[in-house]
Amino acid sequence: MTQPAQPAEEQPAGDQPDGAHPLGLLPGRQGGLTAGEVAERVARGEVNDVPVRSSRSTREIVRANVFTRFNAIIGVMFAIILVVGPLQDGLFGLVIVANTAIGIIQELRAKKTLDSLALIGEARPQVRRDGVAQQVAVGEIVLDDTVLLGIGDKVIVDGGITEADGLEIDESLLTGEPDPVLKRPGDPVMSGSFVVAGAGAFTATKVGREAYAAQLAEEASRFTLVKSELRSGIDSILRFITWLLVPTAIGLIISQLAVEGRDWREAVRRMIAGIVPMVPEGLVLLTSVAFAIGVVRLGRRQCLVQELPAIEGLARVDTVCLDKTGTLTEGGMDVVDLRIIEAGEAGGPDEAGGPDDGARKETVRQALGVMAGADARPNPSMQAVLDAYGDGSGERRDGWRVIEAMPFSSARKWSGVQLLEPRGDEASWLLGAPDVLLPSGHPALSEVDDLGAQGLRVLLLGRTPVPLDAPDPAAGLRPLALVVLRQRLREDAAETLRYFEGQRVEAKVISGDSAVSVGAVAAHLGLPGADHPVDARTLPAEPQAFADTAERTTVFGRVTPQQKRELVGALQSRGRTVAMTGDGVNDVLALKDADIGVAMGSGSDATKAVAQIVLLNNSFAVMPSVVAEGRRVIGNIERVAGLFLVKTVYSVLLALLVIFTHSPYPFLPRHSTVLSTLTIGVPAFFLALAPNNERARTGFVRRVLRLAVPGGLIAGTATFTAYALARANHATDLKSDTSVATLTLFLVALWVLAIVARPYNWWRLLLIGTMGGAFTLVLTVPWLSDFFQLSLAGTRDPWIGVAIAVAAGLVLEVVWRIVRRRTDD
């Protein structure tokens, strides 16, 4: 016997104690485990010890960022300067502090986020023990526990249903299937799903690491870092430089001691001045800063970057695998059409309609609005009807009144209301599956099949004089209309897919839903190739054929979690850089294996824990911003990396020339600091933040060295030539010789900056001019020239240095054109 419709909070709750579950004290039900049986299982270790994601500890993070090859090189040099002095020669040591702090702060931020994302969350499930329902911690559930379920409860462990009262469970996060599943006693239930209707209980059959969601979490729990070509490239350069440093340092210290005689402190300072510029310390710092600023920019768009190099990874992506549910579609549905069934097709006179089609359609709309308003807990389909035809008047509307209501059930496949109609008639109106409410062979069913083939969902609205509490309320049903629904698409999905297409990034939809439904959604969004969806159950087993299918197909349906992972792997085997988006537990393995994993903020905790990027506002429209930010970072870092490596090359060359000619090293550390700051550090910072939308390519080190090696050789040769000519004129005035060498090197390095900064705009020209003006101040302002020990004597040597720098700049232009032509080819 049905009950009149009423809000959920008005339903009688019975005399249950606070916190008791609806099924907790019902008579005749199993009493669950006893306290003794629970203790026995705890002693045997049959407890739900859910594994926790193992992010690095704070101590490990600090150690990993402090004890690096880069910090070791610069740190030793800085410590030596602190001993020999003066302090202004140790300005380069500040880079250690900045670079280390940025790395530690960002990784601690990621750790805090990761540690807060537990697989199951802070759920407090109810179990029945000794015949009484009680709340326990997730980790206190034991094997064979009777776990109680109510609306909204998460399924914590795997088990088998023992009690069910209209129990419907949403398994979309496990399977990708959007519809809830009706559960009966004996049916299995898996962790990671949750209850959307009814109540029930199940016996825990797999706990701890044996549970389905826990197994996924265990496999996804190991701490990993995104593969970064930038980071590995810079590490390779540092590793090579480290091997160069030892013999170069020994050679420099011997040569400088021999040249300087008894002034060993001056020899050590000039030795350090030769070694420190070899290390591209600014490149490491700038990379960290650029990534960190990218994280802040994306954070303002509600995009959480959990690992810095993930920004770089997205810049290299050429294939994006999308999960339909939660990525292209939202949780709800939309009514896209209302098709009135003609009187002859309906099989009876027009009882509910008016004198024409318009009046009949309006009557149907009103009835649908009243039906939807009478449902206290509308499912997605009924919510779509409510959004389309409801007006907020609830159970009363233009003379309509609800007498009784029967909510939707997966068992009977329809919902209904008994209405008092405006004309005074009383009838039952049913809304549900056409194949259940209509007899076989009805003409409307062919139309339903055609719509279903397009990936649309169709509900039938009918009217019958039979009351709802009759044995068969659908008897005598007169069909009135077909309500056509479509899964609600994200407003930004189509535009985002067009962006990817324009950027030559191929999008593929991989879903656990039916291939027809997935194909229909993708086709509606205009995705190329969506008209040929593939059912994953038909995928070939042979790896080569599997990879061929994965590469040429755009839409996949009925994909299992393992197949999602295999599809990602197959695409990677063909040289693709793959990003995977998803929100469900069924996406975890694929997200873990993808080059970049992107999770929705509303998705499962397990998904967010393994993803490198989380879209906190669930907006797929953020993806173009993420990709654009990655391309800006990687493109600009590659642009300015040449500046840093030019310095490395000319520093090595100068060190070798000094060793072989037994000359004093041309610079002190403070000279290297001012040169690096004005020609590399400051301009590189601004250039690294400029817009850049070019897709990143592999071969970072090779492309950078094409300009850095010849540029460094030209700069080093020009500098040492000017220095040697100046020394020939006044061999005893080392300060003047150093000043000429500094001037020459600054002009050549500024020319390199002018090449890297192309194409020009107003702010880039202003940047180059400002750096030139700043160096002029260093030379002309007395206290600055005294601080940096710079003094140009006479006019001959300085102008010779300028002439040599101009000649070197012209050679640089020729080399640049050759390098650019080869790069373009």
Side-chain angles (χ1 to χ4, degrees), residues 719-762:
T719 301
F720 193 80
T721 300
Y723 175 63
L725 291 176
R727 277 185 54 77
N729 290 333
H730 33 74
T732 59
D733 190 0
L734 187 56
K735 182 177 180 180
S736 296
D737 301 339
T738 293
S739 300
V740 171
T742 304
L743 173 64
T744 305
L745 182 54
F746 174 81
L747 293 174
V748 178
L750 193 67
W751 203 307
V752 174
L753 171 62
I755 290 175
V756 171
R758 295 169 185 167
Y760 297 135
N761 53 27
W762 69 267

Short mmCIF file of all heavy atoms in Angstrom, two decimals, residues 719-762:
data_model
loop_
_atom_site.label_atom_id
_atom_site.label_comp_id
_atom_site.label_asym_id
_atom_site.label_seq_id
_atom_site.Cartn_x
_atom_site.Cartn_y
_atom_site.Cartn_z
N THR A 719 86.10 37.95 -25.35
CA THR A 719 86.47 38.47 -24.03
C THR A 719 87.95 38.28 -23.76
O THR A 719 88.64 39.22 -23.31
CB THR A 719 85.64 37.78 -22.94
OG1 THR A 719 84.25 38.00 -23.19
CG2 THR A 719 86.00 38.30 -21.57
N PHE A 720 88.46 37.09 -24.01
CA PHE A 720 89.88 36.83 -23.71
C PHE A 720 90.79 37.61 -24.65
O PHE A 720 91.88 38.05 -24.24
CB PHE A 720 90.18 35.33 -23.82
CG PHE A 720 91.50 34.96 -23.22
CD1 PHE A 720 91.64 34.80 -21.85
CD2 PHE A 720 92.63 34.79 -24.03
CE1 PHE A 720 92.87 34.48 -21.29
CE2 PHE A 720 93.86 34.47 -23.48
CZ PHE A 720 93.97 34.31 -22.10
N THR A 721 90.33 37.83 -25.89
CA THR A 721 91.13 38.63 -26.82
C THR A 721 91.26 40.06 -26.32
O THR A 721 92.38 40.64 -26.30
CB THR A 721 90.48 38.62 -28.22
OG1 THR A 721 90.40 37.27 -28.70
CG2 THR A 721 91.29 39.46 -29.20
N ALA A 722 90.14 40.66 -25.92
CA ALA A 722 90.18 42.03 -25.38
C ALA A 722 91.01 42.09 -24.10
O ALA A 722 91.79 43.05 -23.89
CB ALA A 722 88.75 42.52 -25.11
N TYR A 723 90.88 41.08 -23.27
CA TYR A 723 91.62 41.01 -22.01
C TYR A 723 93.12 40.90 -22.28
O TYR A 723 93.95 41.59 -21.65
CB TYR A 723 91.11 39.83 -21.20
CG TYR A 723 91.85 39.56 -19.91
CD1 TYR A 723 91.86 40.48 -18.88
CD2 TYR A 723 92.52 38.34 -19.73
CE1 TYR A 723 92.54 40.22 -17.68
CE2 TYR A 723 93.19 38.06 -18.54
CZ TYR A 723 93.20 39.01 -17.52
OH TYR A 723 93.86 38.74 -16.34
N ALA A 724 93.48 40.03 -23.22
CA ALA A 724 94.90 39.84 -23.52
C ALA A 724 95.52 41.11 -24.11
O ALA A 724 96.66 41.48 -23.77
CB ALA A 724 95.06 38.67 -24.50
N LEU A 725 94.78 41.80 -24.99
CA LEU A 725 95.30 43.05 -25.57
C LEU A 725 95.46 44.12 -24.49
O LEU A 725 96.42 44.90 -24.51
CB LEU A 725 94.35 43.55 -26.67
CG LEU A 725 94.31 42.69 -27.94
CD1 LEU A 725 93.26 43.22 -28.91
CD2 LEU A 725 95.69 42.67 -28.61
N ALA A 726 94.52 44.18 -23.56
CA ALA A 726 94.62 45.15 -22.47
C ALA A 726 95.82 44.84 -21.58
O ALA A 726 96.54 45.75 -21.16
CB ALA A 726 93.32 45.17 -21.65
N ARG A 727 96.06 43.59 -21.29
CA ARG A 727 97.19 43.20 -20.45
C ARG A 727 98.51 43.51 -21.16
O ARG A 727 99.51 43.83 -20.52
CB ARG A 727 97.13 41.71 -20.12
CG ARG A 727 96.21 41.41 -18.94
CD ARG A 727 96.26 39.94 -18.56
NE ARG A 727 97.61 39.45 -18.32
CZ ARG A 727 98.30 39.69 -17.20
NH1 ARG A 727 97.77 40.41 -16.23
NH2 ARG A 727 99.53 39.21 -17.05
N ALA A 728 98.50 43.43 -22.48
CA ALA A 728 99.73 43.72 -23.22
C ALA A 728 100.11 45.19 -23.08
O ALA A 728 101.30 45.55 -23.13
CB ALA A 728 99.56 43.37 -24.69
N ASN A 729 99.08 46.04 -22.88
CA ASN A 729 99.35 47.48 -22.75
C ASN A 729 99.78 47.87 -21.35
O ASN A 729 100.60 48.76 -21.17
CB ASN A 729 98.10 48.30 -23.14
CG ASN A 729 97.82 48.22 -24.62
OD1 ASN A 729 98.75 48.01 -25.41
ND2 ASN A 729 96.57 48.37 -25.01
N HIS A 730 99.14 47.23 -20.33
CA HIS A 730 99.52 47.55 -18.94
C HIS A 730 99.35 46.29 -18.10
O HIS A 730 98.30 46.05 -17.51
CB HIS A 730 98.70 48.71 -18.37
CG HIS A 730 97.30 48.77 -18.87
ND1 HIS A 730 96.30 47.91 -18.47
CD2 HIS A 730 96.74 49.61 -19.76
CE1 HIS A 730 95.18 48.21 -19.08
NE2 HIS A 730 95.40 49.23 -19.87
N ALA A 731 100.43 45.51 -18.08
CA ALA A 731 100.38 44.19 -17.45
C ALA A 731 100.21 44.26 -15.95
O ALA A 731 99.80 43.29 -15.32
CB ALA A 731 101.65 43.42 -17.78
N THR A 732 100.51 45.42 -15.34
CA THR A 732 100.45 45.48 -13.88
C THR A 732 99.11 45.99 -13.36
O THR A 732 98.84 45.89 -12.17
CB THR A 732 101.58 46.38 -13.36
OG1 THR A 732 101.42 47.70 -13.92
CG2 THR A 732 102.94 45.82 -13.73
N ASP A 733 98.29 46.57 -14.22
CA ASP A 733 97.01 47.14 -13.78
C ASP A 733 95.89 46.14 -14.02
O ASP A 733 95.15 46.22 -15.00
CB ASP A 733 96.72 48.45 -14.53
CG ASP A 733 95.53 49.21 -13.94
OD1 ASP A 733 94.95 48.70 -12.96
OD2 ASP A 733 95.20 50.29 -14.46
N LEU A 734 95.79 45.15 -13.12
CA LEU A 734 94.81 44.07 -13.30
C LEU A 734 93.38 44.59 -13.22
O LEU A 734 92.49 44.08 -13.90
CB LEU A 734 95.05 42.98 -12.25
CG LEU A 734 94.21 41.71 -12.39
CD1 LEU A 734 94.42 41.09 -13.77
CD2 LEU A 734 94.59 40.71 -11.29
N LYS A 735 93.15 45.63 -12.41
CA LYS A 735 91.79 46.18 -12.28
C LYS A 735 91.30 46.74 -13.61
O LYS A 735 90.15 46.51 -14.02
CB LYS A 735 91.77 47.26 -11.21
CG LYS A 735 90.38 47.85 -10.95
CD LYS A 735 90.43 48.88 -9.82
CE LYS A 735 89.05 49.47 -9.56
NZ LYS A 735 89.10 50.48 -8.46
N SER A 736 92.14 47.47 -14.34
CA SER A 736 91.75 48.01 -15.65
C SER A 736 91.54 46.89 -16.67
O SER A 736 90.61 46.94 -17.49
CB SER A 736 92.83 48.99 -16.15
OG SER A 736 92.92 50.10 -15.30
N ASP A 737 92.43 45.89 -16.63
CA ASP A 737 92.29 44.76 -17.56
C ASP A 737 90.97 44.03 -17.32
O ASP A 737 90.25 43.66 -18.26
CB ASP A 737 93.47 43.79 -17.40
CG ASP A 737 94.81 44.48 -17.64
OD1 ASP A 737 94.81 45.52 -18.30
OD2 ASP A 737 95.82 43.94 -17.15
N THR A 738 90.66 43.81 -16.04
CA THR A 738 89.39 43.16 -15.69
C THR A 738 88.21 44.00 -16.16
O THR A 738 87.20 43.46 -16.65
CB THR A 738 89.31 42.94 -14.17
OG1 THR A 738 90.31 41.99 -13.78
CG2 THR A 738 87.94 42.44 -13.76
N SER A 739 88.32 45.32 -16.05
CA SER A 739 87.22 46.21 -16.47
C SER A 739 86.99 46.12 -17.96
O SER A 739 85.84 46.10 -18.43
CB SER A 739 87.53 47.65 -16.06
OG SER A 739 87.68 47.76 -14.65
N VAL A 740 88.07 46.06 -18.75
CA VAL A 740 87.93 45.93 -20.20
C VAL A 740 87.29 44.59 -20.55
O VAL A 740 86.39 44.52 -21.40
CB VAL A 740 89.30 46.06 -20.89
CG1 VAL A 740 89.20 45.69 -22.38
CG2 VAL A 740 89.83 47.47 -20.74
N ALA A 741 87.74 43.53 -19.91
CA ALA A 741 87.15 42.21 -20.16
C ALA A 741 85.67 42.19 -19.77
O ALA A 741 84.83 41.61 -20.48
CB ALA A 741 87.92 41.14 -19.37
N THR A 742 85.33 42.83 -18.65
CA THR A 742 83.94 42.87 -18.21
C THR A 742 83.07 43.63 -19.21
O THR A 742 81.96 43.21 -19.54
CB THR A 742 83.84 43.54 -16.82
OG1 THR A 742 84.67 42.84 -15.90
CG2 THR A 742 82.41 43.54 -16.32
N LEU A 743 83.58 44.78 -19.71
CA LEU A 743 82.85 45.55 -20.71
C LEU A 743 82.61 44.74 -21.98
O LEU A 743 81.50 44.70 -22.51
CB LEU A 743 83.63 46.83 -21.04
CG LEU A 743 83.08 47.68 -22.20
CD1 LEU A 743 81.70 48.22 -21.86
CD2 LEU A 743 84.04 48.83 -22.54
N THR A 744 83.65 44.09 -22.45
CA THR A 744 83.54 43.30 -23.69
C THR A 744 82.54 42.16 -23.53
O THR A 744 81.66 41.95 -24.38
CB THR A 744 84.91 42.73 -24.08
OG1 THR A 744 85.86 43.79 -24.19
CG2 THR A 744 84.83 41.98 -25.40
N LEU A 745 82.66 41.44 -22.43
CA LEU A 745 81.76 40.31 -22.21
C LEU A 745 80.32 40.77 -22.03
O LEU A 745 79.38 40.13 -22.52
CB LEU A 745 82.22 39.50 -20.99
CG LEU A 745 81.39 38.24 -20.67
CD1 LEU A 745 81.29 37.32 -21.88
CD2 LEU A 745 82.00 37.49 -19.49
N PHE A 746 80.14 41.91 -21.36
CA PHE A 746 78.78 42.42 -21.19
C PHE A 746 78.15 42.74 -22.55
O PHE A 746 76.99 42.39 -22.80
CB PHE A 746 78.78 43.68 -20.32
CG PHE A 746 77.43 44.34 -20.23
CD1 PHE A 746 76.46 43.85 -19.36
CD2 PHE A 746 77.11 45.41 -21.05
CE1 PHE A 746 75.20 44.42 -19.30
CE2 PHE A 746 75.85 45.99 -21.00
CZ PHE A 746 74.89 45.50 -20.12
N LEU A 747 78.89 43.39 -23.43
CA LEU A 747 78.33 43.77 -24.74
C LEU A 747 77.99 42.53 -25.57
O LEU A 747 76.94 42.49 -26.23
CB LEU A 747 79.33 44.66 -25.48
CG LEU A 747 79.56 46.06 -24.87
CD1 LEU A 747 80.67 46.80 -25.62
CD2 LEU A 747 78.27 46.87 -24.87
N VAL A 748 78.86 41.53 -25.56
CA VAL A 748 78.58 40.31 -26.32
C VAL A 748 77.37 39.57 -25.72
O VAL A 748 76.48 39.11 -26.44
CB VAL A 748 79.80 39.38 -26.36
CG1 VAL A 748 79.48 38.10 -27.13
CG2 VAL A 748 80.98 40.09 -27.02
N ALA A 749 77.33 39.47 -24.37
CA ALA A 749 76.21 38.80 -23.72
C ALA A 749 74.91 39.56 -23.95
O ALA A 749 73.84 38.95 -24.09
CB ALA A 749 76.49 38.67 -22.22
N LEU A 750 74.98 40.91 -24.01
CA LEU A 750 73.78 41.70 -24.29
C LEU A 750 73.30 41.44 -25.71
O LEU A 750 72.09 41.43 -25.97
CB LEU A 750 74.08 43.19 -24.10
CG LEU A 750 72.86 44.12 -24.05
CD1 LEU A 750 72.04 43.85 -22.80
CD2 LEU A 750 73.30 45.59 -24.10
N TRP A 751 74.24 41.20 -26.62
CA TRP A 751 73.86 40.88 -28.00
C TRP A 751 73.16 39.52 -28.05
O TRP A 751 72.18 39.33 -28.77
CB TRP A 751 75.11 40.87 -28.89
CG TRP A 751 74.80 41.09 -30.35
CD1 TRP A 751 73.93 40.40 -31.12
CD2 TRP A 751 75.37 42.10 -31.21
NE1 TRP A 751 73.90 40.88 -32.40
CE2 TRP A 751 74.78 41.93 -32.49
CE3 TRP A 751 76.32 43.09 -31.03
CZ2 TRP A 751 75.12 42.73 -33.58
CZ3 TRP A 751 76.65 43.90 -32.11
CH2 TRP A 751 76.06 43.72 -33.38
N VAL A 752 73.67 38.57 -27.28
CA VAL A 752 73.00 37.26 -27.19
C VAL A 752 71.58 37.43 -26.65
O VAL A 752 70.62 36.84 -27.15
CB VAL A 752 73.80 36.30 -26.29
CG1 VAL A 752 73.01 35.00 -26.06
CG2 VAL A 752 75.15 35.99 -26.89
N LEU A 753 71.43 38.29 -25.63
CA LEU A 753 70.10 38.57 -25.09
C LEU A 753 69.19 39.17 -26.15
O LEU A 753 68.01 38.80 -26.25
CB LEU A 753 70.23 39.53 -23.90
CG LEU A 753 68.91 40.10 -23.33
CD1 LEU A 753 68.02 39.00 -22.81
CD2 LEU A 753 69.22 41.13 -22.25
N ALA A 754 69.74 40.08 -26.97
CA ALA A 754 68.94 40.69 -28.03
C ALA A 754 68.47 39.67 -29.06
O ALA A 754 67.38 39.78 -29.62
CB ALA A 754 69.75 41.80 -28.71
N ILE A 755 69.28 38.64 -29.29
CA ILE A 755 68.88 37.57 -30.23
C ILE A 755 67.79 36.71 -29.62
O ILE A 755 66.77 36.40 -30.26
CB ILE A 755 70.12 36.72 -30.60
CG1 ILE A 755 71.08 37.52 -31.47
CG2 ILE A 755 69.68 35.43 -31.30
CD1 ILE A 755 72.37 36.80 -31.79
N VAL A 756 67.98 36.32 -28.36
CA VAL A 756 67.01 35.45 -27.69
C VAL A 756 65.66 36.14 -27.51
O VAL A 756 64.60 35.50 -27.56
CB VAL A 756 67.57 35.00 -26.32
CG1 VAL A 756 66.49 34.28 -25.51
CG2 VAL A 756 68.76 34.09 -26.52
N ALA A 757 65.66 37.48 -27.33
CA ALA A 757 64.42 38.22 -27.03
C ALA A 757 63.54 38.42 -28.26
O ALA A 757 62.43 38.93 -28.14
CB ALA A 757 64.76 39.58 -26.42
N ARG A 758 64.01 38.06 -29.44
CA ARG A 758 63.20 38.25 -30.64
C ARG A 758 62.00 37.29 -30.66
O ARG A 758 62.10 36.19 -30.14
CB ARG A 758 64.06 38.04 -31.88
CG ARG A 758 65.16 39.10 -32.01
CD ARG A 758 66.16 38.72 -33.09
NE ARG A 758 67.27 39.69 -33.12
CZ ARG A 758 68.41 39.50 -33.77
NH1 ARG A 758 68.59 38.38 -34.46
NH2 ARG A 758 69.36 40.41 -33.75
N PRO A 759 60.89 37.71 -31.31
CA PRO A 759 60.62 38.98 -31.99
C PRO A 759 60.40 40.11 -30.99
O PRO A 759 59.86 39.89 -29.90
CB PRO A 759 59.35 38.69 -32.78
CG PRO A 759 58.65 37.62 -32.00
CD PRO A 759 59.74 36.78 -31.41
N TYR A 760 60.78 41.31 -31.37
CA TYR A 760 60.75 42.43 -30.46
C TYR A 760 59.34 43.01 -30.31
O TYR A 760 58.53 42.95 -31.23
CB TYR A 760 61.68 43.55 -30.94
CG TYR A 760 63.14 43.17 -30.98
CD1 TYR A 760 63.94 43.48 -32.08
CD2 TYR A 760 63.74 42.51 -29.91
CE1 TYR A 760 65.29 43.14 -32.11
CE2 TYR A 760 65.07 42.16 -29.93
CZ TYR A 760 65.84 42.48 -31.04
OH TYR A 760 67.18 42.13 -31.07
N ASN A 761 59.09 43.54 -29.13
CA ASN A 761 57.96 44.43 -28.90
C ASN A 761 58.46 45.52 -27.95
O ASN A 761 59.63 45.54 -27.59
CB ASN A 761 56.74 43.68 -28.34
CG ASN A 761 57.08 42.87 -27.09
OD1 ASN A 761 58.00 43.19 -26.34
ND2 ASN A 761 56.34 41.79 -26.88
N TRP A 762 57.59 46.39 -27.54
CA TRP A 762 58.05 47.57 -26.79
C TRP A 762 58.73 47.19 -25.48
O TRP A 762 59.76 47.76 -25.09
CB TRP A 762 56.88 48.53 -26.55
CG TRP A 762 55.85 48.01 -25.58
CD1 TRP A 762 54.72 47.33 -25.88
CD2 TRP A 762 55.88 48.15 -24.16
NE1 TRP A 762 54.02 47.01 -24.75
CE2 TRP A 762 54.71 47.51 -23.67
CE3 TRP A 762 56.75 48.73 -23.25
CZ2 TRP A 762 54.42 47.44 -22.31
CZ3 TRP A 762 56.47 48.66 -21.89
CH2 TRP A 762 55.31 48.03 -21.44
#
